[in-house]
Coordinates of all heavy atoms in Angstrom, one line a residue:
L1 N 0.8 -1.2 0.0 CA 0.0 0.0 0.0 C 0.9 1.3 0.0 O 0.5 2.3 -0.6 CB -0.9 0.0 1.2 CG -2.0 -1.1 1.3 CD1 -2.7 -1.0 2.6 CD2 -3.0 -1.0 0.1
L2 N 2.0 1.2 0.7 CA 2.9 2.4 0.8 C 3.8 2.5 -0.4 O 4.4 3.6 -0.5 CB 3.7 2.3 2.1 CG 2.9 2.4 3.4 CD1 3.8 2.2 4.6 CD2 2.2 3.8 3.5
G3 N 3.9 1.5 -1.2 CA 4.8 1.6 -2.4 C 6.3 1.4 -2.0 O 7.2 1.9 -2.6
H4 N 6.5 0.6 -0.9 CA 7.9 0.4 -0.5 C 8.6 -0.5 -1.5 O 8.0 -1.3 -2.2 CB 8.0 -0.3 0.9 CG 7.8 0.6 2.0 ND1 7.8 0.2 3.3 CD2 7.5 1.9 2.1 CE1 7.6 1.2 4.1 NE2 7.4 2.3 3.4
T5 N 9.9 -0.3 -1.7 CA 10.7 -1.1 -2.6 C 10.7 -2.5 -2.1 O 10.8 -2.9 -1.0 CB 12.2 -0.6 -2.6 OG1 12.2 0.8 -2.9 CG2 13.0 -1.4 -3.6
S6 N 10.5 -3.5 -3.1 CA 10.5 -4.9 -2.8 C 11.8 -5.3 -2.1 O 12.8 -5.0 -2.5 CB 10.3 -5.7 -4.1 OG 9.1 -5.4 -4.7
R7 N 11.6 -6.1 -1.0 CA 12.7 -6.5 -0.2 C 12.9 -8.1 -0.3 O 13.8 -8.6 0.2 CB 12.6 -6.2 1.2 CG 12.6 -4.7 1.5 CD 12.6 -4.4 3.0 NE 11.4 -4.9 3.6 CZ 10.3 -4.1 3.6 NH1 10.2 -3.0 3.0 NH2 9.2 -4.6 4.2
G8 N 12.0 -8.7 -1.0 CA 12.2 -10.2 -1.1 C 11.5 -10.7 -2.4 O 10.8 -10.0 -3.1
V9 N 11.7 -12.0 -2.6 CA 11.2 -12.6 -3.8 C 9.7 -12.5 -3.9 O 9.1 -12.2 -4.9 CB 11.6 -14.1 -3.9 CG1 11.0 -14.8 -5.1 CG2 13.1 -14.2 -4.0
T10 N 9.0 -12.7 -2.8 CA 7.5 -12.7 -2.7 C 7.0 -11.3 -3.2 O 6.1 -11.3 -4.0 CB 7.0 -13.0 -1.3 OG1 7.6 -14.2 -0.9 CG2 5.5 -13.2 -1.3
Q11 N 7.6 -10.3 -2.7 CA 7.1 -8.9 -3.0 C 7.2 -8.5 -4.4 O 6.5 -7.7 -4.9 CB 7.8 -7.9 -2.1 CG 7.2 -7.8 -0.7 CD 7.8 -6.7 0.1 OE1 8.9 -6.9 0.7 NE2 7.2 -5.6 0.2
R12 N 8.1 -9.2 -5.1 CA 8.3 -8.8 -6.5 C 7.0 -9.2 -7.3 O 6.8 -8.7 -8.4 CB 9.5 -9.6 -7.1 CG 10.8 -9.2 -6.5 CD 11.9 -10.1 -7.1 NE 13.1 -9.9 -6.3 CZ 14.2 -10.7 -6.3 NH1 14.2 -11.8 -7.2 NH2 15.2 -10.5 -5.6
Y13 N 6.2 -10.1 -6.8 CA 5.0 -10.6 -7.5 C 3.8 -9.9 -7.0 O 2.7 -10.3 -7.4 CB 5.0 -12.1 -7.5 CG 6.2 -12.7 -8.1 CD1 7.2 -13.1 -7.4 CD2 6.3 -12.8 -9.5 CE1 8.4 -13.7 -8.0 CE2 7.4 -13.4 -10.1 CZ 8.4 -13.8 -9.3 OH 9.5 -14.3 -9.9
V14 N 3.9 -9.0 -6.0 CA 2.7 -8.4 -5.5 C 2.4 -7.1 -6.3 O 3.2 -6.1 -6.2 CB 2.9 -8.0 -4.0 CG1 1.7 -7.2 -3.5 CG2 3.1 -9.2 -3.1
H15 N 1.4 -7.2 -7.1 CA 1.1 -6.0 -8.0 C -0.3 -5.5 -7.5 O -0.5 -5.2 -6.3 CB 1.1 -6.4 -9.4 CG 2.5 -6.8 -9.9 ND1 3.6 -6.1 -9.8 CD2 2.9 -8.1 -10.3 CE1 4.6 -6.7 -10.2 NE2 4.3 -7.9 -10.6
L16 N -1.2 -5.4 -8.4 CA -2.6 -5.0 -8.1 C -3.5 -6.3 -8.0 O -3.9 -6.7 -9.1 CB -3.1 -4.0 -9.1 CG -2.4 -2.7 -9.1 CD1 -3.0 -1.8 -10.1 CD2 -2.3 -2.0 -7.8
D17 N -3.7 -6.8 -6.9 CA -4.6 -7.9 -6.8 C -5.8 -7.5 -5.9 O -5.8 -6.4 -5.3 CB -3.9 -9.2 -6.2 CG -3.2 -8.9 -4.9 OD1 -3.6 -8.0 -4.2 OD2 -2.3 -9.6 -4.5
A18 N -6.8 -8.4 -5.9 CA -8.0 -8.1 -5.1 C -7.7 -7.9 -3.7 O -8.4 -7.0 -3.0 CB -9.0 -9.3 -5.3
A19 N -6.8 -8.6 -3.1 CA -6.5 -8.5 -1.6 C -6.0 -7.1 -1.3 O -6.4 -6.5 -0.3 CB -5.5 -9.6 -1.2
L20 N -5.1 -6.6 -2.2 CA -4.5 -5.3 -1.9 C -5.6 -4.2 -2.1 O -5.6 -3.2 -1.3 CB -3.3 -5.0 -2.9 CG -2.2 -4.1 -2.4 CD1 -1.6 -4.7 -1.1 CD2 -1.1 -4.0 -3.4
A21 N -6.5 -4.4 -3.0 CA -7.6 -3.4 -3.2 C -8.5 -3.4 -2.0 O -8.9 -2.3 -1.6 CB -8.3 -3.8 -4.5
V22 N -8.8 -4.6 -1.5 CA -9.7 -4.6 -0.3 C -9.0 -3.9 0.8 O -9.6 -3.2 1.6 CB -10.0 -6.1 0.0 CG1 -10.7 -6.2 1.4 CG2 -10.9 -6.7 -1.0
A23 N -7.7 -4.2 1.0 CA -7.0 -3.5 2.1 C -7.0 -2.0 2.0 O -7.3 -1.3 3.0 CB -5.5 -4.0 2.1
A24 N -6.8 -1.5 0.8 CA -6.8 -0.1 0.6 C -8.1 0.5 0.9 O -8.2 1.6 1.5 CB -6.3 0.3 -0.8
D25 N -9.2 -0.2 0.5 CA -10.5 0.3 0.7 C -10.8 0.4 2.2 O -11.4 1.3 2.7 CB -11.6 -0.6 0.0 CG -12.0 -0.1 -1.3 OD1 -11.9 1.1 -1.5 OD2 -12.5 -0.9 -2.1
Q26 N -10.5 -0.7 2.9 CA -10.8 -0.8 4.4 C -10.0 0.3 5.2 O -10.6 0.9 6.0 CB -10.5 -2.2 4.9 CG -11.5 -3.2 4.4 CD -11.3 -4.6 5.0 OE1 -10.6 -4.7 6.0 NE2 -11.9 -5.6 4.5
V27 N -8.7 0.4 4.8 CA -7.9 1.4 5.6 C -8.4 2.8 5.3 O -8.6 3.6 6.2 CB -6.4 1.2 5.2 CG1 -5.6 2.3 6.0 CG2 -5.9 -0.2 5.6
S28 N -8.6 3.2 4.1 CA -9.0 4.5 3.7 C -10.4 4.8 4.3 O -10.7 5.9 4.8 CB -9.0 4.8 2.2 OG -9.9 4.0 1.6
A29 N -11.3 3.8 4.3 CA -12.6 4.0 4.8 C -12.6 4.2 6.3 O -13.3 5.1 6.8 CB -13.5 2.8 4.5
E30 N -11.7 3.5 7.0 CA -11.6 3.7 8.5 C -11.1 5.1 8.8 O -11.6 5.7 9.7 CB -10.6 2.6 9.0 CG -10.4 2.7 10.5 CD -11.6 2.3 11.3 OE1 -12.6 1.7 10.7 OE2 -11.7 2.7 12.5
I31 N -10.1 5.5 8.0 CA -9.5 6.9 8.3 C -10.6 8.0 7.9 O -10.7 9.0 8.6 CB -8.2 7.1 7.5 CG1 -7.2 6.1 8.0 CG2 -7.7 8.5 7.7 CD1 -5.9 6.1 7.2
A32 N -11.3 7.7 6.8 CA -12.3 8.7 6.4 C -13.4 8.8 7.5 O -13.9 10.0 7.8 CB -12.9 8.3 5.1
K33 N -13.8 7.7 8.1 CA -14.8 7.8 9.2 C -14.3 8.6 10.4 O -15.0 9.4 11.0 CB -15.1 6.3 9.7 CG -16.0 5.5 8.7 CD -16.2 4.1 9.3 CE -17.0 3.3 8.3 NZ -17.2 1.9 8.8
L34 N -13.0 8.4 10.7 CA -12.4 9.2 11.8 C -12.4 10.7 11.5 O -12.8 11.5 12.3 CB -11.0 8.7 12.1 CG -10.9 7.2 12.7 CD1 -9.5 6.8 12.8 CD2 -11.6 7.1 14.1
L35 N -11.9 11.0 10.3 CA -11.8 12.4 9.9 C -13.2 13.1 9.8 O -13.3 14.3 10.2 CB -11.2 12.5 8.5 CG -9.6 12.3 8.4 CD1 -9.2 12.2 7.0 CD2 -8.9 13.4 9.2
D36 N -14.2 12.3 9.4 CA -15.5 12.9 9.2 C -16.4 12.8 10.5 O -17.6 13.2 10.5 CB -16.3 12.2 8.1 CG -15.6 12.4 6.8 OD1 -14.8 13.4 6.6 OD2 -15.7 11.6 5.8
G37 N -15.8 12.3 11.6 CA -16.5 12.2 12.9 C -17.5 11.2 13.0 O -18.4 11.3 13.8
E38 N -17.5 10.1 12.1 CA -18.5 9.1 12.2 C -18.2 8.1 13.4 O -17.1 8.1 13.9 CB -18.6 8.3 10.9 CG -19.0 9.2 9.7 CD -19.0 8.4 8.4 OE1 -19.1 7.2 8.5 OE2 -19.0 9.1 7.4
S39 N -19.1 7.3 13.7 CA -18.9 6.4 14.9 C -17.9 5.3 14.5 O -17.6 5.1 13.3 CB -20.2 5.7 15.2 OG -20.7 5.0 14.1

């Protein structure tokens, strides 16, 4: 999510997959709720 340089073999193959998209959605949604004062 942060765009860190790959440090291992596994990370070289982590591109845009469904799991990463779900993670980005959940993290940004949680922060947006906090910023907007939601419960």
Side-chain angles (χ1 to χ4, degrees):
L1 295 176
L2 292 175
H4 281 183
T5 304
S6 297
R7 292 185 296 277
V9 175
T10 307
Q11 279 185 276
R12 295 174 193 167
Y13 299 97
V14 175
H15 301 298
L16 294 183
D17 56 22
L20 211 56
V22 169
D25 261 338
Q26 290 187 12
V27 178
S28 65
E30 180 69 18
I31 295 173
K33 287 179 182 178
L34 295 172
L35 285 171
D36 297 336
E38 297 180 18
S39 59

